[in-house]
Amino acid sequence: MRASIVVIGDVLIDEMREGGRATSVPGGSALNVAVGLAVLGTPSVLVGMIGDDDDGRVIRGYLDEWGVSLVPTLGPHGTGRAISDRRGGEPSYRFNRASVERGILIDDALGDLVSDAELIAISGFPFDNAAQVDGLRNLLAGSAAPVAIDPNPRRGLLADLDGYRAGLEQAAASAVLVKLSDEDAELLYREPIDAVVARYLGLGSMAVLATRGEHGASLHTRLSSVSRPIVADARPIVDTMGAGDATFAVTLQALSNAGQGGPGDWSTVLETAMLTAAETIRHPGALLQLHPDLV
């Protein structure tokens, strides 16, 4: 099993509740990113925790449909589930025990997979679990591949906020890219996104992708910054859940295509990401959607 991108992180079932209805679909930020890459035509291997249960089998079947290979850690409490109550397409989350106590089995087989990768993406990870963070750092030390991180923190998954920040910053210090939203900055630091961007560049992150909801996104390095607004679209917003994961997937594809040096034109990457996010949020669920201008 080999792919240019290895995606490590959260895999679960999204149970979406709105207007007295409930719909369950495969989700989790790492799964959304891996499947998003498949939609974009870029292969990846997904590493995440699922259970030996019906939800786990649903996830396996869904990934098979998209041609995404899964390296599973079998969770002792079954498959994670995120229950989101929605108002106007905006979710608020609750998580089951399997999600809260998630983790990745870090062994020699995973080390071999990561050592062959051209790019490693971490999307959703228990950075407040010291043993998991130590294992992740050892895993990444065995690979020459660049690392991109979207922590994708959720309030219901943070058992130790200080520990989470410390673990994330350790991993991010050598990352080629860190993605953070304005909501992430508020949750983790109680600071504006610009201040948190500066913090991560100071830690050693080579680039920081900042997403700002209705205000678009920006990409920052120590030498330059570029920004792009959201894409104007008269169609109603249906579901905002997949916007961040779609943006991250587009950016990962650009990093993978560019190699170690990174994309030469971040403005074009951001334009593509904003078009993709604009299309994704006009469909239900988190599946990345291709904008007609990009097809």
Side-chain angles (χ1 to χ4, degrees), residues 16 238-239 241 280-287 289:
M16 298 171 286
V238 176
D239 192 338
M241 181 169 62
T280 299
I281 64 177
R282 285 169 173 85
H283 296 78
L287 178 64
Q289 302 290 330

Side-chain angles (χ1 to χ4, degrees), residues 162-181:
D162 290 339
Y164 188 97
R165 283 192 301 256
L168 171 59
E169 290 180 1
Q170 289 175 28
S174 58
V176 68
L177 177 84
V178 177
K179 175 188 168 294
L180 294 162
S181 71

Side-chain angles (χ1 to χ4, degrees), residues 6 19 55 63 96 106 122 188 212 237 251 253 274-275:
V6 175
D55 282 347
L63 293 173
N96 68 353
I106 299 173
I122 301 165
L188 295 178
R212 307 166 188 266
I237 294 173
T251 309
Q253 184 189 50
M274 292 298 92
L275 281 168

Side-chain angles (χ1 to χ4, degrees), residues 13-295:
I13 292 290
D14 272 316
E15 181 180 332
M16 298 171 286
R17 299 179 178 180
E18 187 169 17
R21 296 182 179 181
T23 303
S24 294
V25 297
S29 58
L31 180 145
N32 292 337
V33 168
V35 173
L37 286 167
V39 175
L40 294 168
T42 297
S44 67
V45 172
L46 174 62
V47 180
M49 176 178 279
I50 62 171
D52 182 15
D53 52 21
D54 288 344
D55 282 347
R57 286 181 279 277
V58 168
I59 287 172
R60 288 178 185 270
Y62 179 74
L63 293 173
D64 285 345
E65 290 176 7
W66 284 104
V68 176
S69 298
L70 173 66
V71 177
T73 294
L74 290 182
H77 306 297
T79 300
R81 187 168 273 257
I83 302 166
S84 56
D85 296 297
R86 293 164 182 278
R87 295 184 179 180
E90 291 287 345
S92 59
Y93 293 97
R94 291 176 286 128
F95 299 91
N96 68 353
R97 182 180 180 184
S99 289
V100 173
E101 299 183 16
R102 70 204 190 282
I104 300 296
L105 175 61
I106 299 173
D107 58 11
D108 290 343
L110 182 55
D112 291 342
L113 176 66
V114 165
S115 68
D116 286 339
E118 295 176 8
L119 175 64
I120 302 164
I122 301 165
S123 187
F125 191 83
F127 285 109
D128 51 358
N129 182 323
Q132 283 282 288
V133 172
D134 287 344
L136 178 65
R137 293 178 66 193
N138 290 334
L139 183 69
L140 299 179
S143 174
V147 177
I149 301 174
D150 178 2
N152 201 42
R154 292 290 180 265
R155 193 176 303 277
L157 294 177
L158 293 178
D160 176 1
L161 181 58
D162 290 339
Y164 188 97
R165 283 192 301 256
L168 171 59
E169 290 180 1
Q170 289 175 28
S174 58
V176 68
L177 177 84
V178 177
K179 175 188 168 294
L180 294 162
S181 71
D182 50 2
E183 293 178 346
D184 296 341
E186 174 61 27
L187 175 60
L188 295 178
Y189 293 96
R190 299 291 190 267
E191 292 183 356
I193 184 66
D194 288 341
V196 178
V197 167
R199 181 186 186 96
Y200 276 79
L201 290 176
L203 287 169
S205 305
M206 291 179 61
V208 180
L209 172 62
T211 59
R212 307 166 188 266
E214 64 181 359
H215 300 295
S218 55
L219 192 289
H220 307 264
T221 69
R222 295 180 190 86
L223 300 177
S224 65
S225 297
V226 294
S227 61
R228 287 295 179 270
I230 61 169
V231 174
D233 195 317
R235 293 173 297 165
I237 294 173
V238 176
D239 192 338
T240 63
M241 181 169 62
D245 295 333
T247 299
F248 194 42
V250 168
T251 309
L252 291 174
Q253 184 189 50
L255 285 170
S256 178
N257 290 343
Q260 292 278 358
D265 183 4
W266 278 113
S267 61
T268 299
V269 177
L270 283 182
E271 288 171 4
T272 302
M274 292 298 92
L275 281 168
T276 306
E279 189 66 24
T280 299
I281 64 177
R282 285 169 173 85
H283 296 78
L287 178 64
L288 183 149
Q289 302 290 330
L290 296 174
H291 194 278
D293 288 352
L294 300 174
V295 178

